[in-house]
Amino acid sequence: IGADGNLAVLAELDEAVLLDGLQERFLRHQVYTDIGDILIALNPFQPLPLYGREVSERYRHHERGTLPPHIFAVASRAYHAMLGHGGGGPRSQCIVI
């Protein structure tokens, strides 16, 4: 898995590689994993410090790949794309959960 938690950077991605990567990250309490523009979230079955104000602020204006995958990163990218930040003008957004 790439250092940024993105499985799309692997040379080969099949079901076994995907499941092994997700299990490895889950055991390290990294419940979010990117596959390109797709975010996979696993239920950690325990409370983790993932959603406080401090975490939210870190993801507010981060550059992609500088922080681990997180739902706050997806929300931030969608919000800024909707506003047209980063060039190209405003773009409609859709997030499927």
Side-chain angles (χ1 to χ4, degrees):
I1 298 174
D4 62 353
N6 193 338
L7 291 173
V9 301
L10 297 177
E12 186 175 322
L13 182 60
D14 59 25
E15 183 178 357
V17 171
L18 172 67
L19 293 175
D20 285 345
L22 292 174
Q23 181 179 23
E24 176 186 317
R25 292 180 60 75
F26 178 83
L27 292 173
R28 292 190 316 231
H29 300 278
Q30 296 172 321
V31 298
Y32 291 115
T33 303
D34 283 332
I35 302 178
D37 287 334
I38 298 170
L39 178 71
I40 294 179
L42 300 174
N43 184 343
F45 299 104
Q46 62 182 302
L48 296 175
L50 296 174
Y51 306 107
R53 182 177 299 276
E54 180 181 308
V55 176
S56 175
E57 289 299 321
R58 283 196 327 232
Y59 283 90
R60 187 173 296 252
H61 295 290
H62 82 288
E63 292 291 320
R64 187 173 188 139
T66 59
L67 292 173
H70 198 286
I71 191 65
F72 290 161
V74 172
S76 179
R77 283 193 305 270
Y79 177 73
H80 291 289
M82 179 184 69
L83 295 178
H85 297 167
R91 297 185 317 255
S92 296
Q93 299 296 301
C94 177
I95 298 174
V96 178
I97 299 177

